[in-house]
Amino acid sequence: MPVAPAPSESELADRLAARTLELIDIPSESREEAALAEHVAGVLREGGAVVEDLGDSCVLAYPAETRPSVLLAGHLDTVPAQDNLPGRIERGHVHGLGASDMQGALAVMIELVLARAPYAALFFPREELPSSESALTPLLERHTFEHDFVVVMEPTDGQLHAGCLGNINATWTFSGRSGHSARPWQADNAIHRAAVGIAALAAAPSIPIVSDGLTYHEVASVTRVEGGIAANVIPDRATAHVNYRYGPGKTPEEAEKRLHAMTAGLGELEITGNSGSAPAALDHPLAQKLIKAGDLAVAPKQAWTPVAEFAAAGFAAVNFGPGQTSQAHQRTESITIDGLLHAHRVLEAFGS
């Protein structure tokens, strides 16, 4: 069956905005996605799509007539609310929790499947949590997906973002000896040791990594510091959380070795999570078709996304979505209705 005639620009814009608001107003913070998964499945089933419950709040849907070769993928969960529920539509934007990351993208996916566009759509939970809690990697291990290409609909400002960085989280512990703060020479201040280590890491330059003609930047940052016993006690222990982003082409093991070298002799480093990077996949014919379909600007994905999980499972995958990267996780999060419309139209053209 051919794809249904496209509605007018204004009708489609209104539909996408309303669908985005509908999804925002069903709370779906990480680990609490079941209600939204059930709602999405119900909407698609009522619209005539084939809907498969893959377990663990993972839902796969596609038009009844076909098993498409392209998979659109998006996560159901959001970060915790910041007084940004319920949502609202105002002045060309949909406002609310997850609007850009990524309920707007889910709305585009739903409307494309309902319009019988030639796509399968995968909705999955717990993307906003550490990789150890991923629902996608276990799904890819237990279920066979017969698709040639994956579009992960993360926020990309309507551009195509190729590949992604690897992501290491680590705990950096500094040890000293406690004592009275009036006689610090009788102690060994762990916070002072931490300050030396943190300053050294902060002084390390970002390293440009060129992959498939795109420049990614490897960066290490301290994102949290804890320490101290009392106002008059020299502390014997301080900890810092380190986040290290590494470029495509570097294995997780190589990245860990590099981070250990960067922190050597300055505290004890323990790796607590390591999510691999992903190649750009720009040489895939469907990536080139997608770029041409929307005359899309191409940029490196200076972040980690589920593209890495798909790449590890053997799929060519890219990032393309309507969300605004600057809006993700903001208290005032929003998405432009024009952005929703653009993503829908690009994917319509891509599927034709």
Side-chain angles (χ1 to χ4, degrees):
M1 182 181 295
V3 175
S8 70
E9 294 285 290
S10 61
E11 290 172 338
L12 180 57
D14 289 345
R15 184 184 303 172
L16 289 166
R19 183 72 72 191
T20 301
L21 182 62
E22 171 187 297
L23 300 178
I24 288 170
D25 285 343
I26 301 173
S28 58
E29 295 179 16
S30 300
R31 305 190 189 94
E32 301 295 335
E33 305 95 338
L36 183 58
E38 183 177 350
H39 175 80
V40 168
V43 167
L44 290 164
R45 194 175 286 114
E46 289 173 10
V50 176
V51 177
E52 298 183 21
D53 180 352
L54 303 182
D56 195 18
S57 293
C58 297
V59 175
L60 179 69
Y62 47 91
E65 306 79 46
T66 182
R67 288 298 295 262
S69 62
V70 175
L71 179 69
L72 308 179
H75 62 82
L76 295 160
D77 60 323
T78 70
V79 297
Q82 302 175 70
D83 299 319
N84 47 3
L85 287 175
R88 70 185 191 282
I89 298 173
E90 186 177 281
R91 297 181 181 179
H93 292 71
V94 185
H95 298 261
L97 175 62
S100 270
D101 190 12
M102 56 184 299
Q103 310 305 52
L106 302 186
V108 172
M109 292 165 61
I110 289 169
E111 293 303 320
L112 284 166
V113 173
L114 292 177
R116 297 185 176 86
Y119 297 114
L122 175 65
F123 306 83
F124 58 94
R126 300 197 303 280
E127 189 271 348
E128 298 289 4
L129 297 178
S131 59
S132 59
E133 297 194 49
S134 169
L136 180 58
T137 292
L139 174 65
L140 293 171
E141 292 171 350
R142 71 174 183 268
H143 184 84
T144 300
F145 290 90
E146 297 179 354
H147 301 95
D148 299 328
F149 189 67
V150 181
V151 180
V152 177
M153 296 192 64
E154 285 287 323
T156 67
D157 301 294
Q159 301 177 339
L160 187 144
H161 287 182
C164 75
L165 296 178
N167 182 22
I168 286 181
N169 288 303
T171 300
W172 199 7
T173 302
F174 300 86
S175 298
R177 186 174 68 257
S178 60
H180 199 295
S181 61
R183 296 177 293 279
W185 55 84
Q186 296 178 344
D188 184 355
N189 196 316
I191 290 179
H192 289 184
R193 286 180 172 270
V196 172
I198 291 168
L201 190 64
S206 66
I207 299 175
I209 301 293
V210 178
S211 178
D212 290 304
L214 299 172
T215 301
Y216 302 79
H217 294 275
E218 292 194 345
V219 291
S221 304
V222 172
T223 58
R224 191 170 61 245
V225 178
E226 299 173 350
I229 299 169
N232 60 349
V233 178
I234 301 296
D236 62 353
R237 182 182 176 87
T239 59
H241 181 273
V242 179
N243 183 252
Y244 176 46
R245 304 296 176 117
Y246 58 94
K250 183 170 289 184
T251 68
E253 294 75 20
E254 290 170 338
E256 290 187 16
K257 184 176 180 180
R258 168 62 179 160
L259 185 57
H260 275 289
M262 294 171 70
T263 60
L266 299 170
E268 296 295 325
L269 190 77
E270 179 186 1
I271 305 296
T272 58
N274 189 349
S275 303
S277 61
L282 291 176
D283 57 348
H284 195 285
L286 289 175
Q288 290 299 312
K289 183 182 178 182
L290 176 57
I291 292 166
K292 292 175 182 177
D295 191 22
L296 300 178
V298 177
K301 190 62 175 178
Q302 184 64 28
W304 183 91
T305 79
V307 159
E309 293 176 279
F310 283 107
F315 294 93
V318 297
N319 303 282
F320 169 71
Q324 297 164 263
T325 55
S326 63
Q327 286 293 313
H329 303 184
Q330 294 278 343
R331 180 179 295 273
T332 56
E333 186 171 357
S334 68
I335 190 170
T336 67
I337 297 173
D338 284 347
L340 294 168
L341 186 61
H342 173 258
H344 193 286
R345 289 306 196 204
V346 168
L347 290 168
E348 276 185 333
F350 176 49
S352 63

